[in-house]
Amino acid sequence: MPGVVRIVPLLLLLLLVSLLLGTARGLRNASRKTFEIDYNHNCFVKDGQRFRYVSGSIHYFRVPRFYWKDRLLKMRMAGLNAIQVLPCSCGQVVGSHSAQDEASPLSEWRADYNSAGGNITNAFLIQRKYEPKGPLINSEFYTGWLDHWGQPHSTVKTEAVVSSLQDILAHGANVNLYMFIGGTNFGYWNGANMPFQAQPTSYDYDAPLSEAGDLTEKYFAVRDVIRKFEKVPEGPIPPSTPKFAYGKVSLRKLKTVEESLNILCPTGPIKSLYPLTFIQVKQYFGFVLYRTTLPEDCSYPTPLSSPLHGVHDRAYVSVAGVPQGILDRNFGVTLNITGKAGATLDLLVENMGRVNYGQFINDRKGLISNLTLNSSVLTDWMIFPLDIEDAVRHLGDWHGGDRSCHGEACAHSPANYTLPTFYVGNFSIPTSIPDLPQDTFIQFPGWTKGQVWINGFNLGRYWPARGPQMTLFVPQHILVTSAPNTIVVLELERAPCSDDAPELCTVEFVDKPVISAAVTYSHLLPDLPDEDLWQDLL
């Protein structure tokens, strides 16, 4: 994880090296294999021979099992003789408080140690100050960096990476390239940083292998540096996988979330005087719908507020089926709503990804503090944990179409929002074209923000209105040629469809990714509570 000096446990490292390079002979002689540290010669010793590892990070949970062999072979052909894996969905900025404090000496060391373009000699001198003997190690040398919604796609120049890598290897040091392939945060598995910034579905990381496992200029440049110091395997490198543009697919409106509660939460709601968090209702990812009634008449805009920044992370608000707007963990802590006394107030709360490092790691989700209406605390909640995954896999249970909005409800809906709604469509892959299915990318022209499933597989979040990621990677193994492929989209804010123009409701499969589009929302969280208050809130 970035910011933490971490060495793969030697036994695990040895196992991974053996698996990556293993032969029948190696398996027969496994009992004689050794892996040690020689403090007299400042090196590792493997099977009695001096050994320097040149490793790369791969998060197996971010790469489909279908592609593990392909990615590992490409890593081996780049000259790597070890790999680093992590047992959890991490990869965010982590480390001790002092290491992240810009005024701390450790921060300067971390910048030199981890980052391309840093002072490598200075970093190793500091390492020697605290560890006079033993192998020199850079266990997380960054080849790129992660992204956040609403900020430009992170890149690190190839020239900077290879220059620093050359310097590291010239010092005789061991190195792990983080990441060698980033992969994809499928489903709900992206993380977040603080102040709260959620990461997108793509974890491309500007790594030597792209999110889709494609060979890049950086891959070959890194390989050329490694071969100056270590033997690189002979033979062909597995090529980038072919991609196919399946074209546009029309979607139809299925049902709103509110209309689907009997399907999404078949056991019914949990009743509570005050809101309960996701964990308290045993909902660990995804969405929970919170419902109460307006205790007073709100004929004029009335403030619905989360005074303690207690909406974690984003709430889509409606009154009597009329969308009102959004409450947001960072920017929108108050929303003016209208409605009659006794009207149903719904908040569909989205967990946008957990902070997973440092003092903010206890990142509770849902309504983690009370909401107020006109400064009075709202009570008597019904809480619906939504099992969308199961519902998407059983579309046959979704009887009946949507109830299109008509009359007064439509007339008073804010122009920028519609109710969170499911859309469904399908497409067939022609069997007449050989070698299909192939990998592809799905894009969402005109859509705003939501979640997408293909054949029941949760691809992840899309948010083209925020960027920088505009397309989602679709690996071939989730597609079929024997039957139509089913797409389900949950649009949370506003779809390009309307009751008058259903033909505008389309998604499109393309053969090239777009993860670096110009962002439309890039300011960095103004008016947030200070760090001490964040600690109190979390």
Side-chain angles (χ1 to χ4, degrees), residues 125-440:
L125 286 174
I126 296 174
Q127 185 173 346
R128 276 286 175 249
K129 179 179 178 181
Y130 295 98
E131 190 177 31
K133 294 289 185 179
L136 288 174
I137 293 173
N138 185 328
S139 59
E140 283 194 347
F141 171 61
Y142 301 151
T143 62
W145 197 242
L146 47 81
D147 288 344
H148 300 97
W149 290 116
Q151 296 180 19
H153 173 55
S154 298
T155 60
V156 175
K157 290 184 177 180
T158 296
E159 295 79 7
V161 171
V162 297
S163 175
S164 293
L165 180 60
Q166 167 98 19
D167 204 359
I168 291 169
L169 296 177
H171 277 79
N174 301 266
V175 64
N176 176 66
L177 284 74
Y178 187 101
M179 299 292 297
F180 203 88
I181 176 172
T184 307
N185 295 312
F186 292 112
Y188 305 114
W189 284 94
N190 65 284
N193 289 324
M194 288 293 290
F196 188 79
Q197 302 172 80
Q199 289 144 17
T201 300
S202 173
Y203 199 72
D204 178 83
Y205 215 86
D206 193 32
L209 290 174
S210 75
E211 174 185 8
D214 292 341
L215 305 170
T216 68
E217 174 194 7
K218 189 175 288 184
Y219 174 93
F220 291 103
V222 165
R223 185 174 186 264
D224 288 342
V225 172
I226 293 174
R227 74 191 318 162
K228 295 178 183 178
F229 299 90
E230 302 290 336
K231 184 178 180 179
V232 172
E234 300 293 333
I237 300 171
S240 299
T241 58
K243 312 298 187 296
F244 196 84
Y246 298 101
K248 293 182 179 180
V249 179
S250 297
L251 306 184
R252 63 177 176 85
K253 188 182 295 185
L254 188 58
K255 285 187 176 183
T256 67
V257 169
E258 293 178 357
E259 293 168 343
S260 311
L261 288 179
N262 63 320
I263 303 168
L264 302 174
C265 186
T267 59
I270 298 165
K271 297 181 180 180
S272 177
L273 183 63
Y274 299 109
L276 301 174
T277 67
F278 273 42
I279 295 293
Q280 289 174 311
V281 298
K282 295 181 170 54
Q283 179 83 355
Y284 304 110
F285 303 97
F287 300 86
V288 171
L289 187 136
Y290 294 80
R291 172 172 286 178
T292 187
T293 57
L294 297 184
E296 61 183 77
D297 194 61
C298 301
S299 301
Y300 298 97
T302 306
L304 174 69
S305 300
S306 175
L308 296 179
H309 289 257
V311 175
H312 283 201
D313 300 306
R314 195 170 174 88
Y316 307 91
V317 183
S318 65
V319 174
V322 180
Q324 303 289 311
I326 294 171
L327 288 173
D328 183 270
R329 176 170 178 163
N330 292 327
F331 307 117
V333 296
T334 297
L335 174 69
N336 288 324
I337 65 174
T338 58
K340 298 178 180 179
T344 299
L345 170 64
D346 282 344
L347 292 92
L348 179 64
V349 178
E350 178 186 10
N351 169 356
M352 288 188 58
R354 285 187 172 84
V355 176
N356 48 27
Y357 71 94
Q359 60 182 320
F360 304 114
I361 197 167
N362 185 24
D363 186 17
R364 293 175 294 162
K365 298 300 184 181
L367 297 183
I368 70 167
S369 62
N370 287 324
L371 294 187
T372 63
L373 182 66
N374 207 15
S375 300
S376 297
V377 173
L378 290 170
T379 59
D380 299 320
W381 291 90
M382 291 193 295
I383 303 166
F384 298 81
L386 304 185
D387 186 358
I388 299 178
E389 304 306 303
D390 186 69
V392 165
R393 288 190 292 266
H394 298 90
L395 288 176
D397 297 337
W398 296 60
H399 301 297
D402 70 287
R403 298 197 303 268
S404 300
C405 93
H406 295 289
E408 184 178 355
C410 286
H412 292 281
S413 298
N416 292 332
Y417 300 104
T418 54
L419 291 174
T421 301
F422 290 95
Y423 298 81
V424 65
N426 59 69
F427 70 102
S428 296
I429 297 176
T431 56
S432 58
I433 301 178
D435 301 322
L436 291 185
Q438 293 175 355
D439 293 347
T440 186

Side-chain angles (χ1 to χ4, degrees), residues 20-21 54-56 75-83 177 180 226 233:
L20 199 58
L21 309 178
V54 181
S55 172
M75 295 173 76
R76 180 67 188 107
M77 295 304 294
L80 305 185
N81 58 13
I83 59 171
L177 284 74
F180 203 88
I226 293 174

